[in-house]
Amino acid sequence: MNYSRKMVELLLTQKNIKLHELFSSESMIKEIAQQSYFRFEEWMLLIKYICPQDTISIMNVYAPNVNQVDDICDAFEYATIYEKLELLEKLLALHKERESLREWIVVYEITFQVLSGSMSLKQALEQVKYQYSRLQHPITRMRLQLIELTTNFKLGNVRNALLFADQLQRDLMKLNPCYTKSVTASRLLLLMGLRKLYGEGNASTAEEYLQAVHSIKVAPEPVRASSYHALSILYSKKNKEHCWAYSKKSIIHAKQAELRDYIRALEYHKVPFIKNLHGEMFELNNTIPIEEHIHQYVIRNNNETALNLIHKLENEGKQSPFMLYYKGKATKDANLLMEAIMSFSTNGRADVVPFIKEDIAAL
């Protein structure tokens, strides 16, 4: 649905609510939630259209006060995708005795334990396999499938993470429209785009999936941030302006979602990497990872310093595909660069391979 201002105003008129009243007070937000004036997805669209910068503060009030089963299920999903652990824990405590939500409690208990660090990723996979045959509702079974996909991806099994993506897509199509369905669709598109980019190095197909994320009106800010970040990586070398534009969009959406650690990773890790790719010289500091210090010294043609740092890290038992790549660049050793290609390919970072091939061709 295209939520133009006219359509938003029409929706509010139907509910006898004026635009300026919508988010005017906590009591108003609670009333809207408790009285189910809007479906959860409609409410998220209104926030996105009117005041996306206030999503978190509004939803902290709204989500615990919804009382329709469908809205509660969507509230679980909201708290999960935005990684709001206090809210998710509160929702689980509020609704754990409701028999109609028993399967959702099982699924989001697993999610909460993973996000809070009390369950390992491998334990999560075991739980998913154990619970899958015990759950009957198509949405809860689908959510277990999604946990399996995302967990495999986090474990570095990029090539295998979406083996069942086609089945998940088919299952998704059978569901009635709801916020959870829309969020899952956006996450699946993101994961498919990441697989194509990082797992296969297929930039053109990856871009199609990553752009498709933003066609979903309620695609959550964390998913949008990840999509734009991947697009910035995709354009790292071939279009500097596009690369920085997508990087800025990624940071904007991450800030709206209050993903502070993610923002720091973007600003302190990814930005220096992109600058180094373009051969830019910049001031080094302790916020920048040591690998990008090494990369910057190579850019400055200070290869001796770069190699000294690499040898120091190697003596400490530290290895990574990036270290191998930068060692190959510093020594201008084609064999090392070929090893780096193999290392990135087997570690789910096929997107870096074209950069290394350019460096080999330039020797």
Side-chain angles (χ1 to χ4, degrees):
M1 184 180 291
N2 179 17
Y3 269 62
S4 64
R5 175 172 288 275
K6 185 175 181 181
M7 294 184 75
V8 167
E9 290 175 350
L10 177 60
L11 185 60
L12 295 177
T13 300
Q14 291 171 346
K15 305 295 182 180
N16 197 28
I17 299 174
K18 293 183 171 57
L19 184 61
H20 71 273
E21 296 175 336
L22 197 59
F23 311 117
S24 58
S25 66
E26 285 194 10
S27 60
M28 184 62 177
I29 294 169
K30 286 180 180 179
E31 179 185 336
I32 289 171
Q34 292 164 354
Q35 298 300 319
S36 303
Y37 287 171
F38 305 100
R39 290 186 301 106
F40 198 96
E41 188 165 32
E42 289 178 332
W43 179 250
M44 291 302 297
L45 282 166
L46 288 169
I47 296 174
K48 280 181 173 293
Y49 179 77
I50 298 167
C51 52
Q53 71 281 1
D54 297 325
T55 298
I56 305 302
S57 59
I58 292 170
M59 292 307 298
N60 283 343
V61 178
Y62 183 85
N65 283 285
V66 295
N67 50 38
Q68 296 294 318
V69 169
D70 289 347
D71 290 339
I72 295 168
C73 296
D74 285 340
F76 281 132
E77 186 62 24
Y78 162 80
T80 297
I81 193 60
Y82 280 82
E83 296 188 9
K84 299 305 173 188
L85 292 186
E86 287 186 14
L87 176 59
L88 183 53
E89 187 175 29
K90 184 176 183 178
L91 290 169
L92 288 167
L94 279 171
H95 305 296
K96 65 181 179 181
E97 302 300 331
R98 294 184 67 162
E99 178 59 27
S100 59
L101 291 168
R102 182 186 61 81
E103 292 193 13
W104 276 263
I105 298 296
V106 169
V107 170
Y108 290 102
E109 279 281 7
I110 296 172
T111 302
F112 176 78
Q113 290 181 52
V114 171
L115 291 175
S116 64
S118 58
M119 181 184 288
S120 71
L121 295 177
K122 289 184 178 179
Q123 287 173 327
L125 286 178
E126 292 170 2
Q127 275 295 305
V128 166
K129 291 174 182 176
Y130 175 77
Q131 295 291 351
Y132 189 78
S133 62
R134 290 165 172 78
L135 303 187
Q136 301 301 317
H137 198 285
I139 289 182
T140 55
R141 288 167 67 88
M142 178 200 68
R143 285 298 287 109
L144 286 179
Q145 288 177 291
L146 187 61
I147 292 172
E148 185 174 25
L149 295 181
T150 55
T151 302
N152 272 304
F153 198 92
K154 289 175 182 176
L155 287 169
N157 304 325
V158 179
R159 290 181 181 275
N160 299 325
L162 295 180
L163 285 175
F164 304 107
D166 289 342
Q167 181 60 50
L168 185 54
Q169 277 185 301
R170 287 193 290 272
D171 292 344
L172 197 60
M173 293 297 291
K174 298 173 186 176
L175 301 179
N176 292 326
C178 65
Y179 179 72
T180 298
K181 177 180 179 177
S182 297
V183 169
T184 303
S186 70
R187 294 180 70 183
L188 185 56
L189 287 168
L190 173 65
L191 286 171
M192 292 172 78
L194 296 180
R195 183 190 66 170
K196 290 295 180 181
L197 180 61
Y198 297 131
E200 302 176 14
N202 186 336
S204 59
T205 305
E207 183 171 11
E208 290 177 10
Y209 283 121
L210 295 170
Q211 294 288 9
V213 167
H214 306 286
S215 68
I216 297 175
K217 297 297 183 183
V218 292
E221 308 310 323
V223 176
R224 290 182 186 272
S226 295
S227 172
Y228 282 129
H229 167 60
L231 286 166
S232 75
I233 294 297
L234 191 150
Y235 277 96
S236 291
K237 285 293 285 282
K238 65 180 182 179
N239 190 311
K240 187 177 178 180
E241 287 185 4
H242 282 20
C243 171
W244 287 122
Y246 284 130
S247 293
K248 289 175 182 176
K249 285 185 176 183
S250 180
I251 291 171
I252 287 170
H253 287 283
K255 285 181 176 177
Q256 288 180 356
E258 296 183 0
L259 302 176
R260 295 178 181 85
D261 290 343
Y262 189 78
I263 294 165
R264 280 193 290 271
L266 290 174
E267 293 179 337
Y268 299 146
H269 292 215
K270 304 304 180 183
V271 169
F273 172 69
I274 293 169
K275 286 183 176 180
N276 279 327
L277 276 182
H278 286 283
E280 295 182 24
M281 294 187 187
F282 54 88
E283 186 176 344
L284 294 169
N285 57 55
N286 292 333
T287 65
I288 297 170
I290 189 65
E291 289 172 331
E292 292 312 310
H293 279 240
I294 294 168
H295 200 178
Q296 176 62 196
Y297 286 126
V298 174
I299 297 302
R300 297 177 185 180
N301 207 28
N302 191 345
N303 293 323
E304 185 178 351
T305 302
L307 289 169
N308 286 338
L309 278 173
I310 290 170
H311 294 320
K312 179 177 180 294
L313 293 172
E314 287 175 338
N315 290 335
E316 294 171 357
K318 296 175 182 176
Q319 297 285 344
S320 76
F322 285 97
M323 277 177 57
L324 188 58
Y325 175 27
Y326 302 152
K327 187 175 184 179
K329 287 187 74 169
T331 57
K332 296 180 172 55
D333 186 328
N335 289 326
L336 281 178
L337 291 172
M338 288 300 297
E339 285 183 42
I341 287 177
M342 291 298 297
S343 183
F344 278 114
S345 297
T346 55
N347 282 280
R349 285 304 302 269
D351 60 297
V352 182
V353 170
F355 309 149
I356 306 176
K357 288 182 177 179
E358 285 184 20
D359 290 323
I360 292 174
L363 292 177

